[in-house]
Amino acid sequence: MENMLQGALSHLDEAAQYTDVHPEVLEKLRYPKEVLTARLLIRMDNGSRRSFLAWRCRYDDTRGPTKGGIRFHPESSMDEVVTLAFWMTFKCAVAGLPFGGAKGAIQVDPRQLSKAELERLSRAYVHAFAQLIGPERDIPAPDVYTNAMIMGWMADEYSSLVGYPCPGVITGKPIALGGSLGREDATARGGFYVLQHLAQELGLNGERRAVVQGFGNAGYFIAQMLHEDGWKILGISDSNGAIYCPAGLDPIAVYECKRKTGRVSDYAAGFGNVQVLDNDQLLALECDLLVPSALEDQIHEGNVDTINARVILELANGPVTAGADKLLDARGITVLPDILANAGGVTVSYFEWVQNRQGYYWSAEEVQQRLKPLMEQEAMHVWSIAQRKAISMRTAAYVHGLQRLSAAIEAHGTQSYFCS
Ligand code: NAD
């Protein structure tokens, strides 16, 4: 398995070959600004105490306060958190948001905890990292296995620590607690806007068959949007398995099944033409669009040869390893990279933060009206860099982000300024 951060930094090195940046910029972007590790000790329902490993990384704050989600996952690690924070730094730059990048995680399987234990753990995270986060410093958000209610607990905990309501410390909150309309489906919606805007360039106008890996926040909403737009959803998966139907699946009906039984694969029981597959079989389905919406490293050198999609829309962060990315590019498969494709989530998080600071709230239509042109503009910008320099969309997105980051870093002066 590739070291995640090394893989991520290889994209930075590659992008640097296509744009004129000072070596000091690369030196700054190669290392995180700060990473804090903590052990969170909480009281379990049975009276015992248990501790959990947790991290927060603020990777780079040159362009503004740092921004990035908090993940609850049994396999989270410091390498993963730092890599995700690096990606957030570039994602915010690609989207042109006035933020740097951050990320956090607790190494825990939240499905093994009661609701009360989950609340105590979420509040303990804020206690441990209270010095690091803040509305002007570092603003967390939801990620894998965290949701609006958890963000609400965290905002509440932070507010009681500082002594006044402070909704701007966290985004992705419930609407009643200062969340933004349109945040829930923003990640998928942003990706959908990118896809629609580039459809002609990508040749996605004829038969449109899609496969969606992961059926949580990102996966469910993109499946629903594609379905509504007339796409045939051939396959859907979650962590327990996958389903495939050549005639197309109705994401709302599959969601209803997952809500009841906890697994998308149970949907096959009611329908003779729906087959159960494993996740590798799902990724190998022939389709026009594959949407990885689960976790990182899903398409790697061991399974990349089986990929049979024309376009890949990365709603997950880092679903394609750096090694597999090169092989996909060589085969002419276009990857719409995570730092562009899933930037809708952080963009509406930015809108939420702006609304919290203004104390003035927008309608869902206003949110979408601001999100759409932003995603379209950045998508076209990345597309034209890719065309002009004859490079992949991923390298072009890194070039675009790097140009914005280097403008900010170089504005403080580099060696050439001080020693000229
Ligand atoms: P989520 O917790 O809502 O859903 C995750 C889904 O992935 C679940 O359906 C789970 O069953 C499934 N899954 C887990 N392991 C799997 C596996 N091995 N194979 C297939 N499915 C698997 O999480 P989410 O918020 O939808 O996030 C998914 C991805 O999107 C992550 O990479 C996250 O970093 C990224 N992302 C999310 C947002 C957001 O706003 N939620 C924003 C940007 C990026």
Side-chain angles (χ1 to χ4, degrees), residues 113-296:
L113 300 188
S114 72
K115 289 173 180 159
E117 287 165 346
L118 199 58
E119 181 181 2
R120 288 195 284 276
L121 188 63
S122 305
R123 289 181 183 276
Y125 186 91
V126 172
H127 258 273
F129 296 98
Q131 300 306 316
L132 221 59
I133 65 175
E136 314 285 344
R137 199 165 193 280
D138 176 33
I139 306 123
D143 194 72
V144 175
Y145 297 148
T146 52
N147 55 27
M149 183 171 253
I150 292 174
M151 297 304 109
W153 291 331
M154 289 184 166
D156 182 57
E157 191 65 25
Y158 187 81
S159 299
S160 48
L161 283 173
V162 295
Y164 54 89
C166 191
V169 67
I170 269 176
T171 59
K173 301 177 293 294
I175 304 296
L177 297 175
S180 175
L181 292 168
R183 174 62 184 88
E184 199 186 18
D185 66 6
T187 301
R189 191 170 292 284
F192 182 68
Y193 288 151
V194 168
L195 194 69
Q196 267 190 325
H197 199 60
L198 297 180
Q200 199 148 12
E201 282 78 1
L202 296 168
L204 290 175
N205 294 321
E207 197 192 359
R208 298 179 306 163
R209 300 157 305 160
V211 168
V212 179
Q213 186 207 31
F215 205 53
N217 175 286
Y220 166 65
F221 284 114
I222 194 70
Q224 202 196 345
M225 286 170 202
L226 291 170
H227 181 67
E228 262 176 36
D229 191 45
W231 285 75
K232 196 184 274 185
I233 310 296
L234 293 184
I236 290 177
S237 71
D238 65 12
S239 58
N240 296 304
I243 48 174
Y244 164 58
C245 177
L249 295 158
D250 174 359
I252 296 182
V254 177
Y255 179 78
E256 199 43 41
C257 166
K258 183 165 168 72
R259 202 181 55 78
K260 282 196 196 126
T261 72
R263 304 160 168 263
V264 300
S265 53
D266 288 339
Y267 185 75
F271 300 91
N273 60 347
V274 179
Q275 288 173 41
V276 174
L277 304 179
D278 65 32
N279 255 300
D280 271 336
Q281 291 171 316
L282 176 107
L283 292 174
L285 287 173
E286 186 193 344
C287 59
D288 303 289
L289 178 70
L290 174 61
V291 193
S293 316
L295 293 172
E296 51 273 0

Side-chain angles (χ1 to χ4, degrees), residues 180 350-362 367:
S180 175
Y350 164 57
F351 295 163
E352 180 174 333
W353 179 75
V354 169
Q355 292 170 77
N356 291 153
R357 286 155 64 94
Q358 288 181 331
Y360 180 70
Y361 289 83
W362 311 342
V367 169

